[in-house]
Amino acid sequence: MDVADMRERVRRLMPGARRDLGELVAFRSVADPRLFPAEECVAAARWVRDAFAAVGVDNTALIETSDGSLAVLGHTPAPAGAPTVFLYSHYDVQPPGDESLWHTPPFTLTERDGRWYGRGAADCKGNLVMHLLALRALRERGPLPVGIRIVGDGSEETGGGLENLARERPDLFAADLVLVADCGNAEVGRPTLTTSLRGLANVVVHVEALAGEIHSGQFGGAAPDALAALVRLLSSLRDEAGDTVIDGLDPTGIWSGEPYPEEVFRADAGVLDGVSLLSAGSVADAVWARPALTILGIDAPPVVGSAAAVVPRASARLNLRVPPGMDPATAQDALVAHLHAHAPWNVRVRVDREGVSEPFRAATDGPGYAALRSALGAVYGREVGTVGQGGSIPLCTVLQQVLPDAEIALLGVEEPSARIHGPDESVDPSELEHMAVAEALVLASLTR
């Protein structure tokens, strides 16, 4: 199919895409009823179901998963000889956080400086609209040229229900090519495929040293301070360069794909002037090829209202990201052992384990990837790069297990300027348009 023709089709459809995204962003679909009513997620799921049915995806339905969320599934069988393509995205979103940090209301899609702002505008409602755009453009010429499965996940940010459903009912996910739209380009206008994801192995560590709080003037100096012990314990998890160092884990992985220039990373991450980056290796090594330990939170007395007392107990939640090639259960074992081994002053240490998720590495030598590289290169007029992602999408590794012959590719509209998960999340409409054109071209080309 002609690139210019498809580009024109999608461009004509962009006003409708803007309306769709506005309607989707308005749903406060945070999959946590403690924060927003569960009805918001139900309404969003119904919207997604109806939208895909309207563009010609058959058998669209809502299926309740093991965590109580609703997955939107649909399936249009492939014409004779054509493959089936699975289009994934999710309609649940991260909480908006402190809304005073947003320049515009988080659940109202707002245009500013050429970008569209709102919670989920990129992650991942923008990707849902990307799929819809591609399918609408194809339907203008008649029936869908390939088999299509769609999955709209309802708890990607918080749950695991869809992974359980995939294990129990792999027939609902069967496809030749899986397009996981929950990533994006390295920057606006630079076509990129994500080929690896880090896994996850979180723990919560508790340190206890005293029966209760005691006066810091009367006992401080000799009394073991649980908060000081926790600080010292946590400091043992990084070396002087800032690299994660956990006994028994290899901290020397090397990334072999596209580099991540330091100046680009500093801008993407909002690193303050004069502050050094961590790691003795390259940025790409640190964020895509090596284990990385982040302290997510600490339970300790707050500054306001704190007393002149020695702290008897303190806790921290630790996030360990695990690169491809490293087993997350083994990594979690190593982290637990390290925390016990490095506890100072014989303080009592207890470690609670959270669930683990596997890292992911894509096989990139199949016909689906060839079609993706061709389409993305034609649309953007640039060579297609490959990057990793430090985050985790557990469904990818589950799909590798239940669909061993399928190609799995990660792409989407979530480039770094989108600021996903933070205040003022946004999407660049040019990315939405270009990625929809590329996806439509891929679906059309696979018929051959």
Side-chain angles (χ1 to χ4, degrees), residues 215-240:
H215 195 291
S216 61
Q218 185 176 3
F219 297 103
D225 180 332
L227 184 53
L230 178 63
V231 169
R232 185 159 179 169
L233 177 57
L234 297 179
S235 73
S236 74
L237 296 166
R238 289 191 181 271
D239 62 15
E240 290 299 317

Side-chain angles (χ1 to χ4, degrees), residues 14-230:
M14 283 298 290
R18 169 67 173 78
R19 289 191 297 272
D20 284 348
L21 189 55
E23 292 178 12
L24 263 177
V25 166
F27 294 114
R28 298 175 298 167
S29 50
V30 177
D32 186 343
R34 298 171 299 178
L35 299 175
F36 293 96
E39 291 77 14
E40 295 279 343
C41 287
V42 173
R46 289 171 176 163
W47 190 100
V48 173
R49 176 197 61 193
D50 295 345
F52 278 102
V55 299
V57 178
D58 300 327
N59 306 307
T60 55
L62 303 181
I63 297 180
E64 185 172 349
T65 71
S66 60
D67 62 15
S69 65
L70 294 174
V72 184
L73 287 96
H75 179 214
T76 296
T84 294
V85 182
F86 168 12
L87 307 179
Y88 169 89
S89 46
H90 62 88
Y91 64 83
D92 69 309
V93 296
Q94 283 284 328
D98 183 352
E99 296 192 22
S100 70
L101 299 177
W102 290 73
H103 287 83
T104 51
F107 295 107
T108 301
L109 192 68
T110 307
E111 185 167 356
R112 188 171 73 251
D113 301 325
R115 296 183 69 94
W116 298 346
Y117 288 81
R119 173 57 87 225
D123 180 23
C124 192
K125 293 174 177 179
N127 286 311
L128 274 165
V129 172
M130 179 193 80
H131 288 325
L132 288 168
L133 260 177
L135 294 175
R136 285 196 185 106
L138 287 171
R139 283 302 305 272
E140 285 190 350
R141 295 190 59 172
L144 295 173
V146 294
I148 293 291
R149 288 190 185 275
I150 61 100
V151 175
D153 193 349
S155 62
E156 192 277 339
E157 302 288 6
T158 59
L162 194 66
E163 294 93 86
N164 292 334
L165 182 63
R167 293 186 186 98
E168 295 163 2
R169 293 288 309 279
D171 56 296
L172 297 177
F173 298 79
D176 301 286
L177 173 63
V178 178
L179 299 183
V180 177
D182 196 7
C183 293
N185 292 333
E187 60 182 296
V188 173
R190 181 181 169 193
T192 313
L193 292 170
T194 298
T195 58
S196 76
L197 302 167
R198 289 193 293 201
L200 197 63
N202 286 3
V203 303
V204 178
V205 57
H206 306 276
V207 173
E208 189 172 18
L210 299 166
E213 290 185 349
I214 53 177
H215 195 291
S216 61
Q218 185 176 3
F219 297 103
D225 180 332
L227 184 53
L230 178 63

Side-chain angles (χ1 to χ4, degrees), residues 72-424:
V72 184
L73 287 96
H75 179 214
T76 296
T84 294
V85 182
F86 168 12
L87 307 179
Y88 169 89
S89 46
H90 62 88
Y91 64 83
D92 69 309
V93 296
Q94 283 284 328
D98 183 352
E99 296 192 22
S100 70
L101 299 177
W102 290 73
H103 287 83
T104 51
F107 295 107
T108 301
L109 192 68
T110 307
E111 185 167 356
R112 188 171 73 251
D113 301 325
R115 296 183 69 94
W116 298 346
Y117 288 81
R119 173 57 87 225
D123 180 23
C124 192
K125 293 174 177 179
N127 286 311
L128 274 165
V129 172
M130 179 193 80
H131 288 325
L132 288 168
L133 260 177
L135 294 175
R136 285 196 185 106
L138 287 171
R139 283 302 305 272
E140 285 190 350
R141 295 190 59 172
L144 295 173
V146 294
I148 293 291
R149 288 190 185 275
I150 61 100
V151 175
D153 193 349
S155 62
E156 192 277 339
E157 302 288 6
T158 59
L162 194 66
E163 294 93 86
N164 292 334
L165 182 63
R167 293 186 186 98
E168 295 163 2
R169 293 288 309 279
D171 56 296
L172 297 177
F173 298 79
D176 301 286
L177 173 63
V178 178
L179 299 183
V180 177
D182 196 7
C183 293
N185 292 333
E187 60 182 296
V188 173
R190 181 181 169 193
T192 313
L193 292 170
T194 298
T195 58
S196 76
L197 302 167
R198 289 193 293 201
L200 197 63
N202 286 3
V203 303
V204 178
V205 57
H206 306 276
V207 173
E208 189 172 18
L210 299 166
E213 290 185 349
I214 53 177
H215 195 291
S216 61
Q218 185 176 3
F219 297 103
D225 180 332
L227 184 53
L230 178 63
V231 169
R232 185 159 179 169
L233 177 57
L234 297 179
S235 73
S236 74
L237 296 166
R238 289 191 181 271
D239 62 15
E240 290 299 317
D243 280 303
T244 294
V245 284
I246 296 171
D247 297 345
L249 295 189
D250 179 14
T252 62
I254 301 296
W255 174 252
S256 60
E258 292 285 311
Y260 199 160
E262 179 175 332
E263 65 277 10
V264 176
F265 178 85
R266 294 183 71 92
D268 291 345
V271 180
L272 300 179
D273 291 343
V275 177
S276 300
L277 299 186
L278 304 181
S279 180
S282 72
V283 170
D285 295 340
V287 297
W288 298 332
R290 296 180 178 178
L293 191 289
T294 301
I295 302 166
L296 298 181
I298 292 179
D299 283 343
V303 171
V304 177
S306 56
V310 181
V311 175
R313 60 190 63 85
S315 303
R317 185 170 183 238
L318 309 181
N319 169 244
L320 178 60
R321 299 286 179 169
V322 179
M326 186 175 288
D327 177 66
T330 300
Q332 190 180 62
D333 289 342
L335 175 57
V336 171
H338 180 107
L339 292 169
H340 284 290
H342 289 262
W345 316 318
N346 294 317
V347 294
R348 296 179 183 178
V349 171
R350 186 180 87 254
V351 182
D352 296 333
R353 299 170 184 257
E354 297 183 357
V356 301
S357 64
E358 297 284 339
F360 168 82
R361 180 180 284 122
T364 61
D365 55 353
Y369 266 87
L372 281 165
R373 290 190 187 97
S374 175
L376 286 165
V379 170
Y380 283 94
R382 297 180 64 175
E383 184 177 353
V384 179
T386 59
V387 298
Q389 187 181 116
S392 303
I393 305 177
L395 179 66
C396 291
T397 51
V398 174
L399 291 177
Q400 274 189 327
Q401 296 162 8
V402 302
L403 304 176
D405 297 325
E407 294 181 77
I408 302 173
L410 294 95
L411 71 173
V413 301
E414 301 170 21
E415 42 74 36
S417 298
R419 299 283 191 242
I420 65 172
H421 291 201
D424 285 346

Side-chain angles (χ1 to χ4, degrees), residues 9 200 212 439:
R9 290 173 186 272
L200 197 63
E439 182 166 281

